C-alpha cells in the first residue's frame, strides 16, 4: 500500500479494504451516474456526512459553487462532516476518509484517474463506488475490478 500524503491518515494495515462497486458509464454520463448513486445511498438511509464524491474531470457544480465563497469556507464544510462533500479528484489528497466514497470518472486530464482512484480507495472506509468506463477504471485499480 502506498504511503498516504503527509498530514493524511492512511488505512491501518489491519483494516479490510472497502467493498468496491463499479457502475459502467461513459465519461459524459459518469457524473449523472454518481449523483444517482448518492441519491440511492441517501434513500437507503446513509447519512449525508458519510459520503464523499470525487470527480476526475470537470468539477461537480456544487463544488464549483461552494468554492466561489473561498477555499477556507469550502474545506470547512468537509471538516464539519454533516453533508455530502464534493471535491475535484486533483484535490483527493486533501479529502478526509468517509464511510462511502463515490468517484465520477468524467475525464482524465493529466492522469487524474490513475492518481485519484487508489487514494479514493484508501479514503473509503466501507464502500467505494466508481462510475465510469470499466476499462479506464481497471487500468487505474488493477485488472479484474
Amino acid at each position: 500500500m502506498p504511503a498516504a500524503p503527509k498530514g493524511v491518515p492512511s488505512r491501518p494495515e489491519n483494516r479490510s479494504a472497502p467493498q468496491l462497486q463499479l457502475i459502467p458509464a461513459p465519461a459524459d454520463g459518469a457524473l449523472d451516474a454518481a449523483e444517482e448513486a448518492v441519491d440511492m445511498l441517501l434513500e437507503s438511509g446513509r447519512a449525508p456526512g458519510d459520503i464523499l464524491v470525487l470527480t476526475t474531470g470537470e468539477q461537480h457544480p456544487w463544488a464549483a459553487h461552494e468554492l466561489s465563497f473561498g477555499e477556507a469556507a469550502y474545506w470547512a464544510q468537509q471538516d464539519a462532516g454533516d453533508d455530502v462533500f464534493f471535491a475535484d479528484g486533483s484535490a483527493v489528497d486533501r479529502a478526509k476518509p468517509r464511510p462511502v466514497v463515490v468517484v465520477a470518472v468524467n475525464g482524465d486530464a493529466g492522469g487524474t484517474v490513475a492518481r485519484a482512484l487508489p487514494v479514493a480507495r484508501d479514503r473509503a472506509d466501507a464502500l467505494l463506488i466508481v462510475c465510469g468506463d470499466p476499462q479506464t477504471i481497471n487500468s487505474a485499480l488493477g485488472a479484474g475490478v
Side-chain angles (χ1 to χ4, degrees):
M1 177 182 309
K6 287 184 179 182
V8 177
S10 65
R11 177 181 308 283
E13 292 300 322
N14 61 349
R15 200 170 90 197
S16 62
Q19 179 183 354
L20 177 64
Q21 180 179 351
L22 173 62
I23 300 175
D28 63 357
L31 191 55
D32 289 338
E35 287 180 336
E36 289 175 20
V38 169
D39 288 345
M40 289 181 66
L41 289 163
L42 296 173
E43 289 170 6
S44 70
R46 181 65 75 172
D50 286 355
I51 304 168
L52 168 66
V53 180
L54 299 169
T55 55
T56 63
E58 185 176 331
Q59 280 186 330
H60 187 279
W62 180 91
H65 171 75
E66 293 300 319
L67 276 166
S68 71
F69 298 106
E71 281 214 21
Y74 169 74
W75 289 104
Q77 291 181 34
Q78 173 186 236
D79 295 340
D82 54 8
D83 206 352
V84 177
F85 188 74
F86 296 84
D88 185 79
S90 65
V92 69
D93 294 337
R94 288 187 70 178
K96 292 186 177 175
R98 291 209 175 179
V100 180
V101 176
V102 179
V103 181
V105 181
N106 62 335
D108 192 20
T112 304
V113 174
R115 192 177 75 71
L117 283 183
V119 178
R121 179 174 48 201
D122 193 48
R123 298 297 186 272
D125 292 334
L127 176 62
L128 174 63
I129 300 173
V130 186
C131 307
D133 174 62
Q135 198 168 19
T136 302
I137 295 164
N138 281 335
S139 294
L141 289 177
V145 173

